[in-house]
Amino acid sequence: MSFGKSLKSELGRNTGKWVSNKVFGNTGWATPRRHVIEVEQRKKQREEAREYKHRQKEMERERRERERELKQMEKEQAEREKREMIRANEEEVHEHNNYLEVIQSVHKSYSDQMNWEELQSQEAPEYVQTAEELRQEISKFTNDYVDQEIEGLKRRSKLSLARLIIGNMYVPKNRWVFKTLGNEKALGFIGLVCMMGLLYGLMQEGFLKYFLPIISALVFLTVLLFKYGAKDFDKKINLEERLNELENSRSRLLEENLKEQQEAHEQYLRDKADYEKMMDIVNGVINKNPQAYTYALNFFNPFEDLKEYGSDISFEVNANKVSVDFYVHSEEVVPSTTKKILRKGVEVKEEQLPQSRFNEIYQDYVCSCILKISKEIFQLLPVVNEVQVNAKGSLMNSATGNFEEQTIVSVNIEREKLNKLNFDLLDPSDSMSNFEHRMDFKKNEGFKPVSDLQTA
């Protein structure tokens, strides 16, 4: 092939390829350029793939970290809930066991010895005058108080020297003026305008050269004066409103003070009535009046805590002896179940008390209350030396088949013998052996009815 033909053929191919590239773009390539672009595109795709893989690894790592943190939080929350549950369970069991212990030892807590001679020497409550009797003094006190508040308010609300020039404008209808001119932005704007007027005047000749600067300065000083006066205006208005409130409060304060005085007088009347009632009791006890013993037991109520457990008490008094009927109400006082901790504290198991254990607790409660009742009476009434307590429990009457209140313990307590006992260490059920008593009790069967001891 000749050189001319080869050149012609090569020019034809290159021209065709150039035209193809121009016409078809990157999709109809028939040149090495297509290969170059494909390489660049695959390189870009590989980079995007590597970035995607890297992001996926990061996302996976973050996801695993979140899951780990969530599991840790859930574990910590579960541990906190578990500890709280254990604490609540332990507290529940402790309170239950403490209650069982307390009802078996109520005799350990009792009142101090009553000193009737000391009570007799107490003076009557000091007379408290009525509101009407002190109306004039209370009125003066109220007015003096309001006047002092007014004077103090005026001293604390001193105004600036601006009041000497614009003080007459401190009235509510001019509030908008002070509100507008007291604004920082308004002061800045007017100050800028005055500065421009001052500079413009200085550039003039003749009359305006002096007139405009003077007017600008006067306007700015006036606005500045109102700026400081705005604070005075608020003080003045607030002061007047507060002064009006104080003046209008005179009648209300007077009524409140009169009411307070009347309440104090009524409290005095109640205290006086209690004092007179107590003095009647004191004199009756000292004079060994049996009726006064009854009043004393009702007035000082030494058996109140036993009633809180659910038991009731009634009594009869004579010159040297007090007879008490103690209604136990075991179903309200002694629980029939026991509680204990299981599974390291996460569970409280409540079980029925064995009948023998229930009977023991019941017996201790009854006998402990008998000791407390006797001790409280001896502490309150030093002239009484003997107490008979008849404890009543709900037992089935075999003749009727019904449950009835029957005597389960009847005991005669002497002061001298009771004072020899160590209340902190004794067993209340065993302590009954120190006194004349009737009690039929078996651990597995409980109480059986007994007859009351004969009252002397």
Side-chain angles (χ1 to χ4, degrees), residues 117-288:
E117 286 74 16
E118 182 178 338
L119 283 178
Q120 192 178 38
S121 64
Q122 284 188 0
E123 295 183 357
E126 186 177 350
Y127 177 69
V128 178
Q129 292 176 289
T130 65
E132 199 58 39
E133 290 172 337
L134 288 176
R135 176 175 287 274
Q136 185 175 353
E137 290 82 354
I138 293 175
S139 298
K140 183 178 184 306
F141 169 81
T142 303
N143 289 328
D144 289 345
Y145 169 78
V146 173
D147 291 340
Q148 289 175 4
E149 288 292 308
I150 290 174
E151 290 299 321
L153 191 60
K154 288 180 178 179
R155 286 195 302 271
R156 294 189 298 272
S157 302
K158 290 184 178 180
L159 304 180
S160 68
L161 295 178
R163 75 183 189 282
L164 299 176
I165 302 174
I166 58 175
N168 291 333
M169 296 190 66
Y170 293 166
V171 291
K173 67 179 182 180
N174 293 328
R175 185 185 298 273
W176 69 273
V177 176
F178 289 96
K179 185 176 182 180
T180 302
L181 298 180
N183 188 279
E184 293 288 343
K185 293 182 179 179
L187 178 64
F189 175 75
I190 296 174
L192 180 61
V193 172
C194 292
M195 179 62 70
M196 294 173 61
L198 175 65
L199 295 176
Y200 180 75
L202 292 176
M203 291 186 296
Q204 302 301 311
E205 297 292 338
F207 173 75
L208 290 178
K209 182 177 182 179
Y210 301 99
F211 178 75
L212 287 177
I214 292 173
I215 292 299
S216 298
L218 289 176
V219 170
F220 181 74
L221 291 174
T222 301
V223 173
L224 188 63
L225 185 65
F226 273 88
K227 166 83 169 47
Y228 286 107
K231 296 180 180 179
D232 285 351
F233 175 81
D234 291 337
K235 283 185 180 180
K236 179 73 180 305
I237 297 301
N238 292 335
L239 175 62
E240 291 178 354
E241 291 176 354
R242 181 61 182 141
L243 291 177
N244 288 333
E245 289 178 3
L246 286 172
E247 286 294 341
N248 294 332
S249 69
R250 290 182 188 269
S251 59
R252 176 180 58 79
L253 292 174
L254 176 60
E255 290 302 318
E256 289 178 358
N257 291 335
L258 290 172
K259 181 181 178 181
E260 184 178 346
Q261 181 62 32
Q262 190 61 32
E263 289 175 351
H265 175 75
E266 292 171 357
Q267 183 60 48
Y268 155 76
L269 294 178
R270 290 191 291 270
D271 292 343
K272 180 185 177 184
D274 288 343
Y275 173 80
E276 291 174 349
K277 183 177 181 180
M278 187 178 69
M279 284 299 106
D280 289 340
I281 295 172
V282 169
N283 294 327
V285 170
I286 291 176
N287 294 327
K288 298 183 180 181

Side-chain angles (χ1 to χ4, degrees), residues 11-28:
L11 288 173
R13 284 197 303 271
N14 290 339
T15 302
K17 292 175 182 179
W18 179 83
V19 171
S20 175
N21 289 334
K22 289 295 183 181
V23 174
F24 297 105
N26 293 335
T27 61

